[in-house]
């Protein structure tokens, strides 16, 4: 249902209680999920100890194309551009406005600044240099997607934050004005000028501590304008929902699909690259841009395996793959050819 909740939802328990995704105070996936409790941690720990592939971190510098505020402000408003800023952070310029998906600018994807997965490369632009942002869109509350420091720094230059149910209270607690936070359930949408923002399903989980497991929702997102239709997967295991999203909201011009941090032990919540390509086909995704890779060491594969594997399966399925360098501008009206830049680094 379309809604104009501006500020009404972030701390509203009633919306969570009414949600078809909520049961007994927690959010649940439609499919039966493998247990991710303590007993599941033992084989994961063993795998990490004995089967972690190297190099997990690039031995040569990841190429980064710097972005300036002047460059962004001079983009022609009749075109749609996007920039991969690292991991799953995507800056989109559409209908003359900037939108930011899952902004993570911190040095580590971690609850603490002194430990946890460290960034492979600098961001191509700082938060301070960013122009005004029409909307920030968050997929879920894991540390590599919801960055408290980034949210606090962005708050003054962002019109609104669009988040799945249950995440708004964190943003408000961190100092974001309540009226700037809009919470959406799956299939809820809101019109912002000529752009429609739609929260769509994904198959994942949430939690930033032991106490809040699945207390907030996870989502993928559609950003639709008269010119272009964009899909952002967030994090997800492969599920039948991709086909339903494609049938309902597709086809898309570009799809940012999770491709990284996969393992045979957690297929329910993270896709391997073969699944990522299948999800893209189900979505009728246009151009496939792999995200969730090449910034943090969050899996047991080599840092470059996601890109090598997505290249292989994209060729097999004749999928239009694009893996731009960090910070490289991509004009959706004049898309460049694929450049396999990562092959120069190993």
């Amino acid at each position: 249902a379309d809604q104009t909740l501006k500020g009404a939802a972030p701390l509203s328990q009633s919306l969570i209680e009414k949600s078809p995704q909520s049961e007994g105070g927690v959010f649940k996936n439609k499919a039966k999920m493998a247990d991710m409790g303590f007993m599941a941690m033992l084989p994961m720990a063993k795998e990490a100890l004995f089967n972690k592939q190297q190099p997990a971190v690039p031995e040569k510098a990841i190429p980064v194309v710097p972005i300036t505020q002047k460059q962004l402000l001079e983009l022609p408003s009749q075109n749609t551009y996007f920039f991969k800023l690292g991991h799953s952070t995507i800056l989109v310029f559409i209908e003359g406005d900037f939108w930011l998906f899952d902004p993570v600018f911190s040095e580590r994807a971690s609850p603490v600044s002194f430990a946890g997965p460290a960034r492979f490369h600098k961001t191509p632009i700082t938060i301070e240099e960013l122009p005004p942002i029409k909307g920030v869109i968050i997929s879920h509350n894991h540390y590599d997607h919801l960055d408290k420091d980034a949210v606090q720094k962005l708050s003054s230059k962002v019109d609104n934050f669009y988040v799945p149910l249950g995440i708004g209270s964190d943003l408000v607690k961190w100092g974001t004005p309540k009226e700037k936070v809009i919470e959406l359930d799956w299939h809820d949408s809101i019109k912002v000028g000529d752009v429609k923002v739609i929260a769509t399903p994904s198959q994942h989980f949430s939690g930033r501590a032991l106490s809040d497991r699945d207390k907030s929702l996870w989502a993928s997102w559609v950003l639709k304008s008269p010119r272009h239709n964009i899909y952002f997967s967030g994090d997800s295991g492969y599920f039948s929902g991709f086909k339903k999203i494609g049938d309902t909201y597709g086809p898309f011009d570009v799809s940012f699909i999770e491709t990284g941090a996969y393992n045979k032990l957690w297929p329910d919540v993270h896709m391997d690259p073969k699944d990522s390509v299948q999800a893209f086909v189900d979505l009728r995704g246009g151009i496939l841009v792999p995200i969730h890779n090449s910034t943090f060491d969050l899996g047991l594969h080599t840092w470059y395996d996601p890109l090598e594997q997505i290249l292989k399966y994209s060729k097999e399925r004749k999928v239009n793959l694009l893996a731009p360098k960090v910070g490289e501008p991509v004009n959706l009206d004049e898309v460049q050819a694929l450049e396999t830049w990562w092959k120069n680094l190993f």
Side-chain angles (χ1 to χ4, degrees):
D2 280 0
Q3 54 177 316
T4 51
L5 290 176
K6 195 144 175 127
L11 304 174
S12 170
Q13 190 60 31
S14 63
L15 280 179
I16 292 174
E17 289 169 359
K18 289 178 195 168
S19 171
Q21 283 57 256
S22 177
E23 186 182 311
V26 296
F27 289 97
K28 298 200 170 179
N29 293 291
K30 302 298 182 193
K32 182 172 172 51
M33 307 290 285
D35 177 38
M36 293 288 283
F38 176 74
M39 294 308 292
M41 296 298 114
L42 298 177
M44 289 183 193
K46 183 180 175 184
E47 192 83 1
L49 199 58
F50 297 108
N51 292 323
K52 187 165 174 67
Q53 304 297 302
Q54 298 296 336
V57 175
E59 292 157 338
K60 298 178 183 176
I62 294 263
V64 175
V65 180
I67 304 169
T68 66
Q69 187 181 86
K70 182 174 184 289
Q71 170 193 354
L72 294 175
L73 292 173
E74 290 176 353
L75 291 174
S77 59
Q78 70 271 19
N79 293 124
T80 302
Y81 284 81
F82 74 82
F83 303 78
K84 184 177 179 181
L85 305 187
H87 196 55
S88 298
T89 304
I90 304 289
L91 179 67
V92 172
F93 179 72
I94 189 167
E95 301 297 328
D97 289 313
F98 290 97
W99 294 77
L100 196 52
F101 288 92
D102 284 2
V104 173
F105 285 76
S106 291
E107 189 58 31
R108 294 182 185 273
S110 168
V112 294
S113 61
F114 54 85
R119 184 177 283 282
F120 299 164
H121 59 81
K122 297 289 185 192
T123 56
I125 189 169
T126 64
I127 290 174
E128 291 73 21
E129 267 284 288
L130 283 170
I133 305 292
K134 179 61 74 173
V136 164
I137 295 174
I138 305 290
S139 64
H140 64 295
N141 74 351
H142 288 156
Y143 286 93
D144 59 321
H145 296 264
L146 179 58
D147 178 353
K148 176 183 176 181
D149 185 60
V151 166
Q152 290 178 321
K153 288 179 177 174
L154 280 163
S155 188
S156 63
K157 63 169 62 190
V158 172
D159 282 6
N160 291 111
F161 292 82
Y162 300 87
V163 301
L165 288 178
I167 291 181
S169 55
D170 272 342
L171 272 62
V172 172
K173 185 173 66 182
W174 298 340
T176 303
K178 184 176 177 180
E179 61 274 9
K180 284 192 173 191
V181 183
I182 298 171
E183 288 190 328
L184 301 176
D185 199 351
W186 292 350
H187 305 294
D188 284 347
S189 64
I190 189 163
K191 200 84 185 294
V192 185
D194 287 333
V195 173
K196 194 172 191 181
V197 183
I198 308 163
T200 45
S202 64
Q203 183 173 285
H204 201 53
F205 65 108
S206 67
R208 292 171 75 81
L210 294 173
S211 59
D212 68 340
R213 177 66 184 261
D214 296 342
K215 295 285 181 67
S216 63
L217 187 58
W218 44 95
S220 59
W221 293 87
V222 173
L223 201 61
K224 194 181 188 79
S225 87
R227 288 190 179 93
H228 288 109
N229 197 16
I230 295 170
Y231 177 77
F232 179 83
S233 74
D235 282 0
S236 184
Y238 178 77
F239 73 131
S240 59
F242 289 118
K243 176 112 181 25
K244 292 173 184 168
I245 293 167
D247 289 345
T248 306
Y249 304 109
F252 299 99
D253 297 295
V254 62
S255 296
F256 301 102
I257 306 281
E258 182 215 52
T259 313
Y262 44 82
N263 187 270
K264 62 187 178 184
L265 293 174
W266 54 83
D268 288 346
V269 293
H270 286 293
M271 294 181 281
D272 67 26
K274 188 174 185 180
D275 287 336
S276 298
V277 170
Q278 184 60 57
F280 173 83
V281 171
D282 292 352
L283 288 158
R284 294 180 293 151
I287 298 164
L288 169 55
V289 177
I291 57 173
H292 208 254
N293 59 69
S294 309
T295 299
F296 298 110
D297 175 19
L298 300 174
L300 302 179
H301 48 66
T302 63
W303 75 266
Y304 55 78
D305 192 65
L307 296 173
E308 285 288 278
Q309 295 297 322
I310 201 79
L311 177 63
K312 172 188 167 187
Y313 292 115
S314 292
K315 283 180 175 174
E316 284 181 7
R317 300 295 297 272
K318 296 182 169 53
V319 157
N320 190 1
L321 177 69
L322 189 66
K325 295 189 189 85
V326 173
E328 183 177 3
V330 179
N331 180 350
L332 273 184
D333 296 300
E334 299 173 7
V335 178
Q336 62 263 46
L338 172 69
E339 182 188 350
T340 55
W341 55 264
W342 62 91
K343 289 183 177 289
N344 300 322
L345 307 186
F346 66 90

